[in-house]
Amino acid sequence: MGLLQDMERKQLVDLLRKQGISDEKVLNAMGRVSREFFVIEELRRYAYDNVALPIEGNQTISQPFTVAFMTQLLNVNPGDKVLEIGTGSGYQTAVLCELGAKVHSVERISSLYQKAGKTLASLGYDAKLKLGDGTLGWKEHQPYDGIIVTAGAPQVPDALIRQLSPGGRLIIPVGTSASQEVHLVTRDPSQNFEDEPEVSVKKYNYFRFVPLIGEEGWKDGD
Ligand code: SAM
């Protein structure tokens, strides 16, 4: 971690604050994660530009503003159990670890799953990773206080709602393959986990994500 990267990271955090991100916990967490280790080597000089960048498998590391916006909506508290769908580079995973969450993350592309595991371990982040179809969640570790989906879905997967703890929050971009609106789905806090889930939904900004592909997502080749 060089001085230049430290300065660029600070500038990025200042920009996110100017763009309306107000949760200091999220800004501080992003100020501690070295994004340069999560981007491919040839693009490292752009690591602190506020842009999405290509990673292996024809996927992307999300734009920092998008990460900040969705993480702010997730409202993570230290010790919360969080499920991320779409590990990708592992950057969002690292931000969630910095917030003190117990992070579980699922990725469907083997090369990304392997590489993110190595990157996160080399930087000392302790997250549980799984290779598989995240539209089905990760039932073994349910319930989750928060679930964040970092790929664009055609609808909210029922399996994810069922793995939320009462009062839990699910952040997911929903829409067409061209653009998706970020949904915040909150489970009724007065319920028991075993009850049929009752949820409320709020909709926020539009973004453009790579597709969520799986049983409760887009079909491969859509
Ligand atoms: N959170 C990532 C980061 O910080 O780099 C963003 C990764 S990218 C925008 C979305 C990821 O979702 C891709 O790596 C893609 O392979 C993955 N993905 C798509 N459908 C999936 C599914 N059903 N289960 C798990 N991962 C999925």
Side-chain angles (χ1 to χ4, degrees):
M1 279 165 280
L3 281 178
L4 178 65
Q5 281 83 8
D6 290 350
M7 197 184 72
E8 287 181 335
R9 194 175 315 111
K10 192 178 168 307
Q11 284 169 351
L12 174 62
V13 168
D14 289 343
L15 175 70
L16 296 174
R17 195 180 281 111
K18 275 195 201 110
Q19 290 185 333
I21 304 299
S22 55
D23 185 334
E24 288 297 324
K25 285 183 302 181
V26 172
L27 292 166
N28 288 335
M30 290 183 67
R32 288 193 296 268
V33 180
S34 299
R35 194 170 184 257
E36 66 270 27
F37 295 119
F38 295 90
V39 305
I40 55 178
E41 216 164 323
E42 308 84 84
L43 297 176
R44 275 200 179 158
R45 64 187 179 283
Y46 305 115
Y48 293 101
D49 289 1
N50 189 22
V51 292
L53 293 169
I55 56 174
E56 292 82 354
N58 220 8
Q59 303 300 316
T60 53
I61 173 171
S62 302
Q63 182 187 20
F65 178 79
T66 311
V67 173
F69 185 84
M70 290 177 68
T71 309
Q72 179 166 278
L73 280 182
L74 193 62
N75 195 21
V76 178
N77 289 304
D80 280 358
K81 198 194 279 184
V82 172
L83 175 65
E84 176 193 19
I85 307 303
T87 316
S89 68
Y91 176 73
Q92 171 78 72
T93 320
V95 172
L96 294 169
C97 289
E98 286 286 356
L99 284 163
K102 294 184 196 122
V103 189
H104 300 69
S105 185
V106 184
E107 171 57 53
R108 65 178 283 274
I109 298 180
S110 175
S111 57
L112 291 174
Y113 159 76
Q114 304 279 357
K115 190 173 178 192
K118 283 189 194 143
T119 310
L120 288 163
S122 72
L123 295 171
Y125 292 112
D126 181 20
K128 285 192 167 58
L129 306 184
K130 175 180 163 168
L131 178 64
D133 177 4
T135 66
L136 304 176
W138 192 349
K139 211 169 170 191
E140 198 185 334
H141 298 286
Q142 70 180 21
Y144 299 98
D145 303 300
I147 302 179
I148 180 167
V149 181
T150 67
Q155 75 272 320
V156 182
D158 191 53
L160 297 184
I161 293 179
R162 292 184 179 280
Q163 292 177 26
L164 272 183
S165 58
R169 294 153 82 85
L170 162 62
I171 313 295
I172 178 168
V174 181
T176 65
S177 51
S179 97
Q180 307 88 29
E181 200 172 15
V182 167
H183 287 42
L184 162 61
V185 180
T186 307
R187 184 159 178 201
D188 182 344
S190 68
Q191 292 199 295
N192 293 314
F193 178 65
E194 298 70 31
D195 295 342
E196 191 55 28
E198 297 280 343
V199 297
S200 59
V201 181
K202 280 190 189 166
K203 298 176 187 179
Y204 294 85
N205 299 18
Y206 281 89
F207 294 94
R208 183 171 187 170
F209 282 85
V210 293
L212 181 75
I213 296 172
E215 208 166 299
E216 290 201 44
W218 298 99
K219 301 297 158 239
D220 211 355
D222 271 352

